[in-house]
Structure formats: structure tokens, C-alpha cells
Amino acid sequence: MIRKSSINIAKVASRRALSGLVRGRPVCSSFAAQPRSSPVLLRSLPIVSNNVFGIRTYAVTTVPVPEMAESITEGTLKQWVKNVGDYVELDEEIASIETDKIDVAVNAPSAGVITEVLAAEEDTVTVGQPLFKLDTDGSADASAPPAPKEEAPKPAETPKEPEASKTEAPKPAAAAPPPPPPPPPAAKPAAASKPAAASTPETPSTPGSRDERRVKMNRMRLRIAERLKQSQNTAASLTTFNEVDMSNLIEFRKLYKDEILKKTGIKIGFMSFFSKALCLASKEIPAANGAIEGPNGGDTIVYRDYVDISVAVATPKGLVTPVVRNAEAMSLLEIEKAIADLGHKARDGKLTIEDMAGGTTTISNGGVFGSLMGTPIINLPQTAVLGLHGVKDRPIAVNGKVELRPMMYLALTYDHRLLDGREAVTFLKLIKEYIEDPRKMLL
């Protein structure tokens, strides 16, 4: 009797355990209250249980919003690159989070299958918040697709049905002739459609449409608006102008651009020359490369021995200013390559926080878009921003004669709290002299 009862008890226990696994519950009753994705359950059900009962268990990992930067704690979930049920490889991009500075890619911490997403697009997410669930044991799913192929032979076993359909096909082919008659009537409405279009003058209402669209500002645009207004409210902004004759610089570029491109692969432009001229002018007017720091508007002036140039780059989401560091120690070609690399990263949305942090002065080139003249806004806490504009042929006096020369207007917006008018005008005049005679930059 003891043996029979013990056998019966064992059978009942095994049946309950098996049914519990099939329903997704743990075998051990002590973990019955634990959710399926809890780490305790994952440890209590190792993959070895698969070999015992022949049933696959899931190792689900909850992936949180990653650390984005020291100063960024939240962002907007802009896009799910992958969907629930998709198999992803290690480090494959799952989603994209937009912050007020850059877009952050969320990558898979391991290979597996996405089982659930815990946030919707356009939701605000914070660092550490659960974002999605990943079945890290889902690698077996990658081999699942071949299974349906094995069932393919079944339809192959019934070739008679397609044959029957083929024999029936010619009959509809014979019935095909009737369709030709309908085309003529179709042509009549086509002809009628022409006068109809002429008789509907209301349709051209689209040019005078009064429709409106409202689109929520993205985080980058909101941040740009905030910083520009802060600059306008804080700095005592003033702009001084000058014009520069680009003849010598254009001739210099024409002479050597092909040779430089062939030897180095760098396409030399104007930005590197203006950057070098700005670095040299900053040595003579250090306040133009300085900043005001301290509480209550600032009571300390910071002078720098280095020049980190913020280069304004227009992107679909807004204006960004990646930084060329230690430009004063670079050659013209090194500056040109650094600017080109940052420009490509900005347009591809691959800038990092490190690429944009800092900056002691800014160059904004509105001339590439056809600007004739403008007043750029200071990028706080910087003191000055140099604005470049379009090159236009204009008549000017040269040695008592009127000649057509390629001229560019320069604009320097500066913070009058730190930079006096005399210094600002001198700073811009130095840049003009270096550009009009590039050889002076070698002295």
C-alpha cells in the first residue's frame, strides 16, 4: 500500500509540475508569486529544465533607457527601428531617442527576440526607465523559419488541382473578348472628363487654401530657442561690419585645390582660412576668445590660450555647433578635414555630446545659403561670433581705379560687457587683412 500511494503521489506531482510549465508557471511553489520576467524566476528555471520536460523556457531581460550624457536625464522616443517579434543581433539598433542636443541610439545588449515594448513613439522617457523586453534565449527562433519550408512538400503532392485550374484557364481566355467592348465607353467618359475639368473652377481653390498645420517642436528646436533667447536677454550684443576682398584667397585656392585633393583627399574651402585667421587675431585680442563667468551675470573674466572653434552646421532638425578643438595648433588642411568630418557627422545625426561640448568662439557661414548680410547671435557663454556671407562681384576702388572684385561682408557680433568697440573693430580688421593677403598668416 505504501508503494502504491507513493507512486500515485509522484504521478500527481509530476503532472502538476508539467502542467505548471506548460501554463508558464514555475515548478517550485515557492516562486509561484514571482512574475515571469523577474530575475528570481530566471535563476530558478535554468535552461536544463528544457532537457527534462522537452519544453522551452524563456530568459526575458528588461532593457532600460541607457545613460545618454551627464547633463541629459530624459528624451523623446522618436522611433522604434525594430518591432515586437523581431530577432536582433548584439549591438543592433532597436530605437532612437531624441534629446535637446543629439539623437541617442538604443542598442541590443545581447542577441535575442523582442517580446514587448514598454513605451510608445513620442513618449518622454527617462534614464533607467524600462524600455523593452528581450528574450535572450530567442536565438532558437532564428532557426524557426526553415520549419515551414518542410511543410512545403504537402502542396506539391496535389499538382492535380493546379492542372485543373490550368485547363479552366483557357475558358476565361475565351471569355476575354467581351472585355474589349467596355473600353470604348471608357473612352467617352475620358473625353467627357476634359470639359468636366474645365467646368469646375472651384478645384483651383488649393492655391488659395487657408489650411493650417500644427507640429510640435522637437527637443533640439526647443533648446535652440531657449538658448538664443537667453543670449539675447543676457549679453550686451553689438555687431560691427567690414568687407573683405576675396581675390587673393580665391586665386590661391584655384592654384592648389586640385593638387591638395589629389595628395590628401581633402577638398579645401574658405572655412579653414577664416578659422586660421580667427586664431591669429585672438592672440592679439584675447578678450574676443574669452568669457564672463560667475554668479549674478558674472564677475570673472576667463582668458584662454587655446581656441576651440564652434562651427555652425545646419541640419534638418536645427542648427548645431560641433567644436574643432585646439584649432590654433592645426594646419589649414587639418582644420579643413576636422570641419568636413564634423559636418558629415552632423548631417548623418551621429554627433556625440563630446563633439558639441565647449567652444570658445563661433563661425557661422550663412554665405553658403546665399546670405548677403546678417547679424549672428552670440552662443553663450562665448563672447563673439563671426558671420561669413556670400561672395558677390562689386565695383570697388583699387589704386584710384574702379574694378570688379569678389567681395564678402563680414559681421562680428560681440558681448559689449567684455569686448570694447575698439577691440572688436580691430579684431575684425585683422581677420580682413589675413584673408586679403593669406601670406601674412605664415609670418
Side-chain angles (χ1 to χ4, degrees):
M1 294 296 292
I2 297 174
R3 291 181 181 175
K4 289 182 179 180
S5 62
S6 61
I7 291 172
N8 292 335
I9 293 171
K11 287 181 178 179
V12 172
S14 62
R15 287 174 185 171
R16 289 181 179 175
L18 181 59
S19 63
L21 279 178
V22 172
R23 294 173 188 170
R25 297 196 298 266
V27 178
C28 183
S29 60
S30 62
F31 298 115
Q34 294 293 339
R36 206 175 134 188
S37 60
S38 69
V40 177
L41 175 58
L42 298 181
R43 295 192 187 97
S44 64
L45 287 177
I47 302 305
V48 178
S49 63
N50 297 353
N51 300 332
V52 178
F53 296 101
I55 298 172
R56 179 174 176 268
T57 57
Y58 290 83
V60 178
T61 301
T62 300
V63 181
V65 176
E67 295 284 344
M68 292 176 278
E70 187 176 343
S71 60
I72 299 177
T73 58
E74 67 175 22
T76 301
L77 180 61
K78 293 305 294 182
Q79 181 184 13
W80 281 108
V81 181
K82 299 292 182 179
N83 300 316
V84 174
D86 288 351
Y87 177 79
V88 295
E89 299 287 351
L90 174 65
D91 289 333
E92 190 172 356
E93 185 176 352
I94 305 295
S96 175
I97 297 177
E98 181 187 72
T99 70
D100 57 2
K101 296 181 180 179
I102 60 171
D103 288 351
V104 178
V106 180
N107 299 325
S110 60
V113 175
I114 300 173
T115 60
E116 184 181 357
V117 295
L118 306 176
E121 291 182 355
E122 300 300 330
D123 282 357
T124 298
V125 294
T126 57
V127 173
Q129 171 185 332
L131 189 59
F132 65 93
K133 292 184 178 181
L134 185 69
D135 173 18
T136 55
D137 189 36
S139 55
D141 291 355
S143 60
K149 294 181 181 178
E150 296 177 0
E151 298 177 357
K154 292 182 179 179
E157 294 175 1
T158 59
K160 296 179 181 179
E161 295 180 1
E163 287 178 3
S165 62
K166 290 179 182 177
T167 56
E168 295 173 1
K171 293 180 180 178
K188 293 178 181 177
S193 63
K194 293 180 182 178
S199 62
T200 54
E202 295 90 7
T203 52
S205 60
T206 48
S209 172
R210 294 176 59 82
D211 292 342
E212 296 180 348
R213 292 185 303 118
R214 286 173 172 77
V215 180
K216 185 178 179 181
M217 294 174 69
N218 60 50
R219 285 179 172 269
M220 184 179 292
R221 174 55 59 188
L222 285 170
R223 182 61 173 164
I224 291 171
E226 177 187 340
R227 287 184 57 83
L228 292 180
K229 190 58 183 174
Q230 178 189 4
S231 173
Q232 194 178 51
N233 294 340
T234 303
S237 299
L238 187 63
T239 304
T240 182
F241 298 93
N242 212 321
E243 60 179 355
V244 56
D245 185 351
M246 300 287 287
S247 300
N248 290 331
L249 184 56
I250 291 174
E251 182 183 2
F252 179 93
R253 182 172 174 269
K254 282 183 179 179
L255 284 174
Y256 300 108
K257 67 175 183 178
D258 293 336
E259 181 181 347
I260 291 171
L261 182 63
K262 183 178 179 180
K263 288 185 176 181
T264 65
I266 300 173
K267 187 178 180 181
I268 193 166
F270 295 146
M271 284 292 291
S272 56
F273 290 93
F274 280 99
S275 299
K276 196 66 178 178
L278 183 146
C279 292
L280 295 173
S282 296
K283 289 184 178 181
E284 298 193 39
I285 312 293
N289 190 49
I292 297 177
E293 290 184 357
N296 302 322
D299 56 3
T300 304
I301 300 176
V302 180
Y303 294 103
R304 305 180 177 98
D305 294 332
Y306 59 91
V307 181
D308 290 349
I309 300 178
S310 299
V311 181
V313 179
T315 69
K317 290 187 177 181
L319 188 72
V320 294
T321 53
V323 180
V324 178
R325 305 190 188 283
N326 289 106
E328 82 288 348
M330 291 183 176
S331 66
L332 288 170
L333 295 184
E334 289 172 336
I335 294 174
E336 194 70 51
K337 185 177 185 305
I339 292 174
D341 291 343
L342 290 172
H344 289 312
K345 290 178 71 175
R347 284 182 284 272
D348 294 340
K350 296 182 178 179
L351 285 175
T352 64
I353 294 295
E354 291 74 17
D355 291 329
M356 300 177 64
T360 60
T361 188
T362 298
I363 296 180
S364 177
N365 187 5
V368 296
F369 303 109
S371 171
L372 178 65
M373 185 182 293
T375 57
I377 298 180
I378 299 170
N379 182 17
L380 291 179
Q382 299 174 14
T383 297
V385 51
L386 175 65
L388 311 182
H389 299 93
V391 179
K392 308 290 182 182
D393 286 339
R394 291 199 299 273
I396 63 169
V398 180
N399 298 325
K401 297 180 181 179
V402 176
E403 296 184 9
L404 281 178
R405 291 292 181 94
M407 305 297 293
M408 174 195 286
Y409 286 118
L410 301 180
L412 181 73
T413 300
Y414 58 97
D415 190 346
H416 213 333
R417 296 178 301 165
L418 176 57
L419 205 59
D420 293 333
R422 178 185 63 83
E423 293 174 315
V425 171
T426 303
F427 180 81
L428 191 59
K429 186 169 177 285
L430 286 170
I431 293 175
K432 167 188 167 71
E433 292 173 357
Y434 286 127
I435 296 301
E436 288 187 337
D437 188 0
R439 296 170 295 184
K440 292 185 69 174
M441 289 192 250
L442 301 177
L443 300 177

XYZ file of all heavy atoms in Angstrom, residues 231-305:
574
model
N 20.607 84.213 -24.670
C 21.714 85.046 -25.139
C 21.255 86.482 -25.358
O 21.932 87.441 -24.977
C 22.280 84.471 -26.439
O 23.233 85.335 -27.006
N 20.081 86.624 -25.945
C 19.555 87.967 -26.217
C 19.269 88.723 -24.926
O 19.461 89.948 -24.855
C 18.280 87.838 -27.058
C 17.809 89.127 -27.696
C 16.585 88.908 -28.548
O 15.597 88.315 -28.105
N 16.636 89.359 -29.793
N 18.822 88.006 -23.907
C 18.481 88.655 -22.643
C 19.694 88.913 -21.758
O 19.643 89.764 -20.873
C 17.479 87.793 -21.865
C 16.138 87.694 -22.572
O 15.821 88.522 -23.410
N 15.371 86.679 -22.227
N 20.793 88.169 -21.979
C 21.950 88.249 -21.074
C 23.049 89.149 -21.608
O 23.541 90.043 -20.911
C 22.509 86.843 -20.815
O 21.482 86.009 -20.281
C 23.677 86.898 -19.839
N 23.480 88.893 -22.850
C 24.629 89.609 -23.405
C 24.244 91.007 -23.890
O 23.117 91.231 -24.332
C 25.236 88.815 -24.552
N 25.213 91.922 -23.781
C 25.042 93.258 -24.361
C 25.556 93.182 -25.798
O 26.681 93.569 -26.104
C 25.814 94.284 -23.550
N 24.712 92.651 -26.688
C 25.141 92.323 -28.052
C 25.240 93.571 -28.926
O 24.365 94.443 -28.890
C 24.168 91.323 -28.686
O 24.136 90.121 -27.959
N 26.305 93.580 -29.702
C 26.529 94.651 -30.663
C 27.243 94.039 -31.860
O 28.060 93.135 -31.699
C 27.388 95.759 -30.053
C 27.581 97.027 -30.887
C 26.261 97.729 -31.131
C 28.555 97.976 -30.192
N 26.919 94.514 -33.074
C 27.507 93.935 -34.289
C 28.275 94.999 -35.046
O 27.785 96.117 -35.232
C 26.419 93.345 -35.208
O 25.660 92.381 -34.487
C 27.041 92.672 -36.418
N 29.485 94.635 -35.477
C 30.291 95.506 -36.322
C 30.528 94.797 -37.652
O 30.629 93.574 -37.703
C 31.629 95.861 -35.656
O 32.355 96.766 -36.504
C 32.480 94.626 -35.404
N 30.599 95.584 -38.744
C 30.717 95.009 -40.083
C 31.996 95.468 -40.758
O 32.565 96.513 -40.433
C 29.519 95.434 -40.953
C 28.196 94.958 -40.446
C 27.431 95.768 -39.614
C 27.698 93.715 -40.795
C 26.210 95.347 -39.137
C 26.467 93.285 -40.335
C 25.720 94.095 -39.505
N 32.412 94.672 -41.730
C 33.515 95.042 -42.609
C 33.337 94.254 -43.901
O 32.484 93.372 -43.973
C 34.865 94.739 -41.964
C 35.938 95.729 -42.389
O 35.983 96.138 -43.556
N 36.793 96.114 -41.451
N 34.114 94.593 -44.912
C 34.063 93.827 -46.154
C 35.474 93.413 -46.525
O 36.441 94.103 -46.232
C 33.422 94.634 -47.289
C 34.128 95.913 -47.648
C 33.452 96.636 -48.801
O 32.489 96.074 -49.362
O 33.889 97.741 -49.142
N 35.576 92.258 -47.175
C 36.887 91.714 -47.492
C 36.941 91.364 -48.977
O 35.982 90.816 -49.535
C 37.188 90.466 -46.612
C 36.108 89.413 -46.764
C 38.551 89.882 -46.935
N 38.063 91.692 -49.592
C 38.305 91.361 -50.994
C 38.839 89.923 -51.046
O 39.913 89.627 -50.521
C 39.326 92.335 -51.579
C 39.554 92.131 -53.068
O 39.055 91.118 -53.607
O 40.227 92.966 -53.691
N 38.090 89.026 -51.685
C 38.432 87.604 -51.701
C 39.312 87.212 -52.890
O 39.572 86.019 -53.100
C 37.143 86.779 -51.741
C 36.216 86.994 -50.556
S 36.850 86.218 -49.071
C 36.555 84.495 -49.466
N 39.795 88.182 -53.646
C 40.530 87.884 -54.890
C 41.721 86.981 -54.653
O 41.891 85.943 -55.315
C 40.986 89.183 -55.562
O 39.897 89.997 -55.878
N 42.601 87.340 -53.719
C 43.822 86.564 -53.495
C 43.520 85.172 -52.947
O 44.184 84.201 -53.314
C 44.751 87.317 -52.530
C 45.344 88.556 -53.151
O 45.531 88.625 -54.367
N 45.633 89.562 -52.331
N 42.541 85.082 -52.057
C 42.209 83.778 -51.485
C 41.603 82.860 -52.553
O 41.920 81.661 -52.598
C 41.223 83.959 -50.324
C 40.863 82.686 -49.560
C 42.111 81.994 -49.034
C 39.924 83.006 -48.410
N 40.764 83.420 -53.429
C 40.178 82.612 -54.499
C 41.262 82.139 -55.459
O 41.265 80.979 -55.905
C 39.088 83.416 -55.240
C 37.873 83.622 -54.329
C 38.673 82.724 -56.530
C 36.805 84.525 -54.907
N 42.205 83.021 -55.780
C 43.304 82.638 -56.676
C 44.170 81.551 -56.030
O 44.566 80.583 -56.686
C 44.157 83.866 -57.003
C 45.292 83.565 -57.969
C 46.166 84.784 -58.221
O 45.899 85.837 -57.605
O 47.125 84.673 -59.009
N 44.471 81.711 -54.739
C 45.257 80.722 -54.001
C 44.577 79.350 -54.058
O 45.206 78.323 -54.301
C 45.417 81.188 -52.550
C 46.191 80.248 -51.679
C 47.554 80.401 -51.507
C 45.556 79.208 -51.013
C 48.281 79.531 -50.705
C 46.245 78.343 -50.206
C 47.614 78.497 -50.046
N 43.276 79.357 -53.844
C 42.513 78.099 -53.828
C 42.490 77.457 -55.214
O 42.620 76.232 -55.345
C 41.091 78.372 -53.344
C 40.211 77.153 -53.221
C 38.900 77.502 -52.551
N 37.982 76.379 -52.535
C 37.092 76.121 -53.477
N 36.990 76.960 -54.518
N 36.303 75.060 -53.405
N 42.345 78.259 -56.259
C 42.330 77.711 -57.616
C 43.667 77.066 -57.982
O 43.716 76.036 -58.651
C 42.010 78.822 -58.626
C 40.541 79.198 -58.686
C 40.306 80.254 -59.754
C 38.821 80.612 -59.841
N 38.579 81.676 -60.866
N 44.754 77.668 -57.510
C 46.082 77.164 -57.853
C 46.369 75.808 -57.215
O 46.998 74.945 -57.833
C 47.151 78.173 -57.426
C 47.315 79.419 -58.293
C 48.297 80.390 -57.659
C 47.782 79.027 -59.695
N 45.916 75.601 -55.994
C 46.372 74.438 -55.234
C 45.277 73.419 -54.875
O 45.589 72.354 -54.338
C 47.056 74.902 -53.942
C 48.240 75.784 -54.199
C 48.182 77.157 -53.916
C 49.428 75.282 -54.734
C 49.267 77.984 -54.156
C 50.517 76.099 -54.976
C 50.433 77.446 -54.679
O 51.512 78.262 -54.930
N 44.010 73.715 -55.147
C 42.948 72.818 -54.683
C 43.042 71.434 -55.321
O 42.847 70.404 -54.640
C 41.577 73.432 -54.930
C 41.194 73.580 -56.397
C 39.759 74.076 -56.543
C 39.362 74.148 -58.011
N 37.951 74.580 -58.185
N 43.358 71.356 -56.625
C 43.442 70.049 -57.292
C 44.624 69.251 -56.779
O 44.520 68.031 -56.559
C 43.549 70.240 -58.805
C 42.276 70.826 -59.406
O 41.208 70.664 -58.783
O 42.362 71.454 -60.476
N 45.740 69.922 -56.590
C 46.939 69.237 -56.081
C 46.708 68.718 -54.653
O 47.076 67.593 -54.320
C 48.126 70.199 -56.109
C 49.422 69.592 -55.621
C 50.572 70.590 -55.630
O 50.412 71.674 -56.243
O 51.620 70.294 -55.026
N 46.072 69.550 -53.834
C 45.794 69.144 -52.452
C 44.812 67.979 -52.417
O 44.977 67.027 -51.657
C 45.251 70.345 -51.651
C 46.346 71.384 -51.459
C 44.703 69.898 -50.302
C 45.865 72.697 -50.874
N 43.788 68.052 -53.272
C 42.795 66.976 -53.313
C 43.429 65.666 -53.761
O 43.110 64.587 -53.224
C 41.658 67.371 -54.261
C 40.500 66.370 -54.390
C 39.799 66.197 -53.053
C 39.516 66.836 -55.456
N 44.343 65.734 -54.708
C 44.998 64.530 -55.223
C 45.925 63.904 -54.179
O 45.968 62.687 -54.018
C 45.782 64.872 -56.488
C 46.434 63.678 -57.152
C 47.151 64.098 -58.428
C 47.825 62.893 -59.085
N 48.540 63.289 -60.340
N 46.651 64.746 -53.442
C 47.631 64.230 -52.482
C 47.010 63.817 -51.153
O 47.436 62.833 -50.544
C 48.713 65.294 -52.227
C 49.671 65.493 -53.379
C 50.771 66.471 -53.004
C 51.787 66.614 -54.118
N 52.887 67.566 -53.754
N 46.020 64.565 -50.693
C 45.482 64.333 -49.344
C 44.031 63.884 -49.335
O 43.542 63.395 -48.310
C 45.590 65.614 -48.498
O 44.757 66.636 -49.057
C 47.030 66.114 -48.463
N 43.325 64.072 -50.442
C 41.904 63.734 -50.463
C 41.033 64.775 -49.779
O 39.841 64.545 -49.570
N 41.613 65.922 -49.426
C 40.881 66.984 -48.738
C 40.489 68.063 -49.746
O 41.337 68.567 -50.483
C 41.732 67.597 -47.612
C 42.099 66.534 -46.579
C 40.997 68.755 -46.948
C 43.081 67.024 -45.538
N 39.208 68.402 -49.743
C 38.712 69.468 -50.607
C 38.775 70.773 -49.833
O 37.968 71.017 -48.944
C 37.281 69.159 -51.048
C 36.743 70.130 -52.080
C 35.344 69.734 -52.512
C 34.792 70.711 -53.547
N 33.414 70.353 -53.962
N 39.744 71.588 -50.174
C 39.971 72.803 -49.393
C 38.951 73.873 -49.759
O 38.616 74.072 -50.934
C 41.416 73.313 -49.600
C 41.740 74.383 -48.554
C 41.617 73.834 -51.012
C 43.213 74.702 -48.449
N 38.433 74.548 -48.730
C 37.459 75.616 -48.930
C 37.917 76.892 -48.239
O 39.112 77.098 -48.004
N 36.946 77.754 -47.897
C 37.266 79.033 -47.262
C 37.275 78.943 -45.734
O 37.912 79.753 -45.066
C 36.264 80.095 -47.699
C 36.311 80.419 -49.163
C 35.157 80.748 -49.858
C 37.512 80.387 -49.853
C 35.197 81.048 -51.210
C 37.571 80.681 -51.209
C 36.410 81.010 -51.892
N 36.527 77.975 -45.181
C 36.370 77.927 -43.728
C 37.690 77.766 -42.994
O 37.898 78.352 -41.922
C 35.424 76.795 -43.347
C 33.964 77.095 -43.602
S 33.326 78.380 -42.507
C 33.340 77.526 -40.944
N 38.606 76.967 -43.545
C 39.884 76.756 -42.861
C 40.695 78.045 -42.787
O 41.355 78.321 -41.780
C 40.692 75.667 -43.578
O 40.871 75.987 -44.951
N 40.622 78.883 -43.828
C 41.363 80.146 -43.832
C 40.784 81.120 -42.803
O 41.535 81.781 -42.071
C 41.336 80.764 -45.235
C 42.152 80.024 -46.246
C 41.581 79.058 -47.050
C 43.511 80.284 -46.391
C 42.326 78.369 -47.984
C 44.281 79.595 -47.321
C 43.679 78.631 -48.118
N 39.454 81.205 -42.750
C 38.842 82.093 -41.761
C 39.088 81.589 -40.341
O 39.262 82.389 -39.417
C 37.346 82.236 -42.042
C 37.025 83.210 -43.132
C 36.751 82.766 -44.420
C 37.007 84.576 -42.881
C 36.455 83.662 -45.433
C 36.714 85.491 -43.890
C 36.442 85.030 -45.174
N 39.118 80.285 -40.162
C 39.397 79.726 -38.838
C 40.826 80.059 -38.401
O 41.061 80.438 -37.251
C 39.204 78.205 -38.854
O 37.873 77.866 -39.176
N 41.760 79.922 -39.338
C 43.161 80.237 -39.007
C 43.321 81.724 -38.734
O 44.032 82.123 -37.791
C 44.060 79.818 -40.174
C 45.532 79.735 -39.820
C 45.772 78.624 -38.822
C 47.244 78.490 -38.488
N 47.487 77.444 -37.476
N 42.647 82.551 -39.542
C 42.716 83.998 -39.319
C 42.119 84.365 -37.971
O 42.648 85.230 -37.251
C 41.978 84.729 -40.441
N 41.039 83.712 -37.566
C 40.418 83.984 -36.272
C 41.361 83.602 -35.126
O 41.466 84.317 -34.122
C 39.102 83.213 -36.172
C 38.262 83.421 -34.914
C 36.775 83.346 -35.250
C 38.579 82.379 -33.855
N 42.056 82.475 -35.284
C 43.004 82.043 -34.242
C 44.139 83.058 -34.077
O 44.532 83.391 -32.944
C 43.591 80.671 -34.592
S 42.412 79.315 -34.515
N 44.656 83.563 -35.192
C 45.745 84.535 -35.127
C 45.268 85.860 -34.553
O 45.986 86.501 -33.772
C 46.333 84.739 -36.526
C 47.017 83.504 -37.141
C 47.406 83.773 -38.589
C 48.254 83.115 -36.335
N 44.057 86.285 -34.919
C 43.518 87.530 -34.385
C 43.248 87.416 -32.891
O 43.374 88.403 -32.145
C 42.246 87.912 -35.139
N 42.890 86.214 -32.423
C 42.618 86.005 -30.995
C 43.874 86.161 -30.149
O 43.788 86.497 -28.961
C 42.013 84.611 -30.777
O 40.761 84.495 -31.414
N 45.039 85.930 -30.735
C 46.285 86.114 -29.981
C 46.518 87.587 -29.680
O 47.068 87.940 -28.629
C 47.465 85.553 -30.780
C 47.490 84.032 -30.861
C 48.742 83.546 -31.572
C 48.809 82.021 -31.610
N 50.036 81.542 -32.290
N 46.082 88.443 -30.605
C 46.289 89.880 -30.409
C 45.146 90.509 -29.619
O 45.356 91.510 -28.928
C 46.432 90.564 -31.771
C 47.634 90.063 -32.569
C 47.951 90.958 -33.754
O 47.832 92.195 -33.602
O 48.313 90.418 -34.815
N 43.955 89.936 -29.709
C 42.805 90.441 -28.949
C 42.263 89.274 -28.106
O 41.270 88.631 -28.485
C 41.706 91.006 -29.868
C 42.297 91.961 -30.911
C 40.606 91.683 -29.063
C 42.854 93.250 -30.322
N 42.884 88.941 -26.982
C 42.491 87.759 -26.204
C 41.051 87.811 -25.695
O 40.422 86.767 -25.516
C 43.485 87.762 -25.027
C 44.618 88.616 -25.469
C 44.031 89.633 -26.388
N 40.514 89.010 -25.477
C 39.154 89.120 -24.938
C 38.122 88.557 -25.902
O 37.058 88.083 -25.478
C 38.830 90.581 -24.631
N 38.426 88.556 -27.203
C 37.479 88.024 -28.181
C 37.311 86.520 -28.038
O 36.309 85.962 -28.491
C 37.938 88.370 -29.594
N 38.299 85.879 -27.412
C 38.247 84.436 -27.199
C 37.977 84.101 -25.730
O 38.087 82.948 -25.316
C 39.579 83.801 -27.634
C 39.535 82.293 -27.687
O 38.629 81.715 -28.260
N 40.517 81.653 -27.069
N 37.609 85.122 -24.946
C 37.383 84.923 -23.518
C 35.923 84.712 -23.189
O 35.079 84.504 -24.060
N 35.622 84.783 -21.892
C 34.253 84.581 -21.432
C 34.082 85.224 -20.069
O 35.062 85.486 -19.357
C 33.920 83.096 -21.359
N 32.835 85.484 -19.718
C 32.489 86.010 -18.396
C 31.875 84.882 -17.583
O 30.950 84.210 -18.040
C 31.508 87.189 -18.501
C 32.157 88.356 -19.248
C 31.041 87.634 -17.124
C 31.225 89.538 -19.454
N 32.386 84.687 -16.392
C 31.868 83.634 -15.519
C 31.580 84.203 -14.145
O 32.092 85.260 -13.774
C 32.875 82.483 -15.387
C 33.054 81.656 -16.648
C 33.983 80.488 -16.430
O 34.541 80.359 -15.312
O 34.173 79.689 -17.372
N 30.749 83.474 -13.406
C 30.437 83.878 -12.047
C 28.953 84.070 -11.832
O 28.167 84.129 -12.793
N 28.529 84.202 -10.585
C 27.102 84.368 -10.272
C 26.602 85.769 -10.596
O 27.389 86.705 -10.789
C 27.052 84.111 -8.758
C 28.422 84.513 -8.271
C 29.378 84.165 -9.374
N 25.276 85.903 -10.675
C 24.634 87.206 -10.897
C 25.132 87.899 -12.150
O 25.480 89.082 -12.142
C 24.833 88.120 -9.680
C 24.291 87.502 -8.403
O 23.247 86.851 -8.426
N 25.009 87.693 -7.296
N 25.186 87.149 -13.251
C 25.630 87.740 -14.504
C 27.107 87.621 -14.744
O 27.575 87.872 -15.850
N 27.879 87.248 -13.723
C 29.317 87.043 -13.906
C 30.152 88.198 -13.409
O 29.835 89.364 -13.638
N 31.233 87.878 -12.694
C 32.156 88.908 -12.216
C 33.609 88.528 -12.460
O 34.527 89.151 -11.937
C 31.935 89.153 -10.714
C 32.077 87.881 -9.880
O 32.404 86.825 -10.468
O 31.863 87.938 -8.659
N 33.824 87.474 -13.284
C 35.180 86.994 -13.564
C 35.371 86.843 -15.058
O 34.504 86.303 -15.752
C 35.432 85.637 -12.873
O 35.182 85.760 -11.483
C 36.864 85.163 -13.112
N 36.518 87.319 -15.559
C 36.860 87.170 -16.981
C 37.823 85.998 -17.131
O 38.817 85.902 -16.404
C 37.512 88.444 -17.540
C 36.558 89.636 -17.407
C 37.905 88.239 -19.004
C 37.173 90.952 -17.852
N 37.518 85.129 -18.078
C 38.371 83.967 -18.356
C 39.074 84.202 -19.683
O 38.424 84.359 -20.721
C 37.542 82.664 -18.424
C 38.454 81.475 -18.723
C 36.784 82.443 -17.124
N 40.420 84.254 -19.644
C 41.214 84.353 -20.868
C 41.806 82.978 -21.170
O 42.289 82.294 -20.273
C 42.335 85.386 -20.699
C 41.838 86.794 -20.527
C 41.814 87.395 -19.265
C 41.405 87.546 -21.618
C 41.355 88.696 -19.088
C 40.954 88.849 -21.451
C 40.932 89.417 -20.200
O 40.478 90.700 -20.025
N 41.800 82.601 -22.434
C 42.243 81.261 -22.823
C 43.435 81.334 -23.771
O 43.502 82.216 -24.627
C 41.103 80.497 -23.493
C 39.822 80.409 -22.656
C 38.771 79.621 -23.419
N 37.542 79.442 -22.649
C 36.454 80.190 -22.764
N 36.456 81.211 -23.612
N 35.382 79.947 -22.037
N 44.335 80.353 -23.620
C 45.480 80.253 -24.523
C 45.168 79.365 -25.726
O 45.979 79.265 -26.637
C 46.695 79.678 -23.783
C 47.190 80.607 -22.698
O 47.004 81.836 -22.841
O 47.756 80.119 -21.700
